[in-house]
Amino acid sequence: MAGGAAIVSAGSAAYAQVIDPNRKWYNNRRLIYLNAWIALLVITSSTNGFDNSLMNSFQSLEQWETYFNRPTGGKLGLLNAIQNIGSLSGYPFAPYLSDGIGRRPTIWIGATIMLIGVAVQSAAQTLTMFIGARFCIGFGLTFAANAAPMLVTEISYPTYRAPLTSVYNSLWYSGNIVASWATFGTSRIQNDWSWRIPSILQGLPSIFQFFLVLFGPESPRWLVSKGKDAEALRTLAYYHADGNANDPLVQYEFEEIKAAIELDRQVEKEVGWSTLLKRTLLIVAIAWFSQWSGNGLVSYYLNEVFDTIGITNETIQLLITGILAIWNLTWAVGVSFFVDRAGRRVLFLSSCAGMLLFFVLQTICSATFVNYGSPTAAHAVIAFIFLYYAAYDIAFTPLIVTYTIEILPFSLRAKGFNVFNFVVSLALIFNQYVNPIALKALSWRYYIVYCCWIAFELVFCYFMVVETKNLTLEETAALFDGEDVAARIASSSPEIREDSKDYDLKEGEKASA
């Protein structure tokens, strides 16, 4: 046992003191169970990514185009936007369900609604039926996407919280990959099953959640907020300390959660509008930036971008789409495991600078191809699209959900995250209606608008993004409420005594019994 009774001050330093260095995600049975439940939650993002890629792939699929009489203009815009319109319809209800009945039941309700939508979409006989089904999918996704990332953040083992929450949004691309490659594989089927099969596959994540999610752990923070302290303590102890409710880490987490939630109630009237507005401004900006950085052109209208640079072969278009999805997933998931090492500011600023550079080069090469017909310029556009997305994936895939959730106190988390999702949907709807019209009217010149906007994003992030790495959820949220609130949370946390630790610092890593 570690000897010498010494009191360590509360805060992030003390937090590190109560982490058992021998307890790792790969050698502790309870952490393996916990991460398996988290895997069930993060596939919510896969459903979202699947849907986004599905429409992009369908527009390159001759069988789908023929079946629905080649929708263009307003119809095409509505097809791409209707899922987000469905999401908008669910936003007034989602945070109240998450806070009212709990994270798990809200995810289950969302999965059920999405399964209904997928069934109707897969059996669609008319364009109207297809559009209605996509509305239903978007409506259900709102509930699951509001509750799932919060539950990931609130049940994760402390040292893995930021990486796992970052992986949540990064797995958007896993759905993107399945949709892209499934459509590529079924494109050789010369009937409507070429698009019905990928549509059916969209329901797989929701099937798992429908049958399993209610058996998983509920958020300890939600339980404390409902007065279920004993159940919250049991949950923390079971998954974070092999069932030991007296473990220093469990006691530290439990007391800090209780103190923060109680302080939320006490300081609700004390926190000024400036603090609330700063949080809201950051959340709205990051949400809008995530969809309005030029990525919307590739996510939904990649085939039209290909047409602009002369790549019109259906197989080549589908192949590039599938490879791009794998590229994005690799970058986004890889960076997710370094968010606490690199820090939020460094990643956001690096991402904006890289996006600006590569989008400007993409614009130049697109103009060169259109004006001079240079095949080299067309190939360079493809290369710069890949490099642009690598830069985008440094921050605007893994960090946008992580950062939004961690800067919000528990009392505002569901509603604030709902604002984030609402703004994302607004940006997507705007893109989906404006992009095809603007591309048709302006061709490559439309890219210049995004070049200017990304430059603005870089300046905004430099002045506004606050560093939050290596802090607990409660400490991070308190950064925005002033030093007084942060100090009150820290003083409410239990003192950590060196002789209270129940692990041996010299002990090698070993599997939990």
Side-chain angles (χ1 to χ4, degrees):
M1 297 291 179
I7 296 177
V8 183
S9 62
S12 58
Y15 198 72
Q17 293 291 324
V18 293
I19 297 289
D20 183 349
N22 303 312
R23 186 177 290 133
K24 305 291 186 181
W25 65 268
Y26 53 82
N27 70 0
N28 184 277
R29 186 177 301 172
R30 297 290 175 84
L31 285 185
I32 293 172
Y33 292 162
L34 177 61
N35 291 336
W37 286 120
I38 289 174
L40 180 69
L41 303 175
V42 299
I43 59 175
T44 303
S45 187
S46 300
T47 304
N48 196 8
F50 195 106
D51 183 82
N52 284 276
S53 180
L54 194 67
M55 287 310 304
N56 195 31
S57 297
F58 281 174
Q59 290 165 50
S60 296
L61 192 63
E62 180 63 27
Q63 297 91 319
W64 183 87
E65 288 276 325
T66 301
Y67 193 90
F68 291 111
N69 298 318
R70 303 183 184 281
T72 57
K75 282 187 177 180
L76 181 59
L78 180 61
L79 269 170
N80 283 321
I82 192 64
Q83 188 251 28
N84 290 292
I85 294 173
S87 294
L88 287 174
S89 302
Y91 288 137
F93 314 105
Y96 296 99
L97 277 182
S98 291
D99 282 343
I101 65 175
R103 312 316 197 201
R104 293 177 307 170
T106 304
I107 296 169
W108 185 86
I109 289 171
T112 302
I113 296 171
M114 283 190 285
L115 283 175
I116 294 170
V118 168
V120 175
Q121 176 180 273
S122 303
Q125 303 298 311
T126 65
L127 188 61
T128 301
M129 191 175 175
F130 192 88
I131 290 173
R134 284 179 53 71
F135 177 92
C136 187
I137 292 170
F139 185 74
L141 182 61
T142 294
F143 297 100
N146 180 265
M150 291 192 297
L151 187 52
V152 170
T153 295
E154 292 168 356
I155 66 174
S156 292
Y157 193 69
T159 52
Y160 304 130
R161 176 186 63 78
L164 287 173
T165 311
S166 299
V167 165
Y168 171 88
N169 205 53
S170 300
L171 287 186
W172 186 95
Y173 289 117
S174 65
N176 186 281
I177 288 170
V178 174
S180 298
W181 287 100
T183 308
F184 179 76
T186 60
S187 64
R188 301 181 185 278
I189 301 175
Q190 298 305 311
N191 56 52
D192 54 347
W193 282 104
S194 61
W195 60 267
R196 293 190 192 275
I197 291 174
S199 180
I200 292 170
L201 292 176
Q202 185 175 3
L204 285 179
S206 298
I207 289 174
F208 286 116
Q209 291 179 337
F210 178 85
F211 286 107
L212 297 175
V213 75
L214 293 179
F215 297 101
E218 182 55 271
S219 164
R221 289 163 176 84
W222 181 84
L223 291 169
V224 169
S225 74
K226 297 300 180 183
K228 301 179 180 181
D229 292 18
E231 188 176 348
L233 181 59
R234 283 197 301 271
T235 301
L236 287 169
Y238 184 87
Y239 289 105
H240 291 187
D242 300 315
N244 180 10
N246 295 315
D247 182 89
L249 171 62
V250 170
Q251 285 296 313
Y252 188 93
E253 288 183 289
F254 182 58
E255 294 299 330
E256 187 178 52
I257 290 169
K258 288 198 301 179
I261 290 176
E262 181 58 32
L263 274 174
D264 278 351
R265 294 168 180 153
Q266 293 177 11
V267 306
E268 193 170 2
K269 297 180 181 179
E270 301 174 20
V271 175
W273 279 103
S274 59
T275 299
L276 184 60
L277 287 173
K278 184 175 183 180
R279 279 192 175 105
T280 304
L281 179 61
L282 265 173
I283 291 168
V284 169
I286 289 172
W288 191 269
F289 293 169
S290 72
Q291 304 304 322
W292 226 75
S293 299
N295 52 309
L297 291 175
V298 178
S299 295
Y300 281 88
Y301 298 102
L302 185 57
N303 61 317
E304 295 190 23
V305 175
F306 286 149
D307 292 342
T308 301
I309 59 175
I311 298 176
T312 57
N313 182 274
E314 174 187 310
T315 301
I316 297 298
Q317 288 187 358
L318 288 170
L319 188 61
I320 293 175
T321 301
I323 294 173
L324 181 61
I326 295 174
W327 169 266
N328 284 327
L329 179 66
T330 301
W331 274 96
V333 172
V335 172
S336 294
F337 294 100
F338 293 92
V339 294
D340 274 338
R341 295 184 185 181
R344 297 0 174 207
R345 276 184 59 83
V346 169
L347 292 176
F348 273 118
L349 293 175
S350 300
S351 180
C352 289
M355 286 193 297
L356 180 60
L357 172 63
F358 296 125
F359 207 87
V360 167
L361 293 173
Q362 178 186 331
T363 302
I364 293 171
C365 291
S366 296
T368 301
F369 174 80
V370 171
N371 292 327
Y372 303 106
S374 167
T376 302
H379 294 147
V381 169
I382 300 300
F384 287 130
I385 285 175
F386 275 76
L387 291 172
Y388 161 84
Y389 260 105
Y392 178 91
D393 291 330
I394 288 174
F396 285 93
T397 298
L399 274 183
I400 56 173
V401 170
T402 303
Y403 196 72
T404 297
I405 292 176
E406 68 187 7
I407 68 174
L408 291 164
F410 178 83
S411 60
L412 297 176
R413 190 165 294 146
K415 298 177 182 67
F417 189 55
N418 201 52
V419 170
F420 169 86
N421 286 324
F422 177 76
V423 174
V424 167
S425 290
L426 284 182
L428 284 169
I429 292 170
F430 180 86
N431 276 345
Q432 290 152 4
Y433 274 113
V434 171
N435 281 344
I437 298 171
L439 275 174
K440 187 175 182 179
L442 300 175
S443 186
W444 65 269
R445 295 174 185 83
Y446 184 46
Y447 299 168
I448 298 174
V449 175
Y450 284 107
C451 292
C452 298
W453 181 258
I454 296 170
F456 167 75
E457 292 179 6
L458 177 60
V459 175
F460 180 92
C461 288
Y462 180 81
F463 287 105
M464 295 300 294
V465 171
V466 177
E467 185 55 72
T468 62
K469 69 176 181 179
N470 296 321
L471 297 175
T472 69
L473 274 179
E474 285 67 35
E475 290 167 344
T476 299
L479 283 176
F480 291 81
D481 295 327
E483 294 182 2
D484 180 58
V485 174
R488 287 162 69 181
I489 289 179
S491 65
S492 300
S493 301
E495 292 181 337
I496 311 298
R497 297 181 62 89
E498 290 291 335
D499 58 358
S500 69
K501 298 175 184 177
D502 61 353
Y503 57 81
D504 189 342
L505 292 175
K506 297 181 180 179
E507 183 179 354
E509 292 180 358
K510 60 182 180 180
S512 172

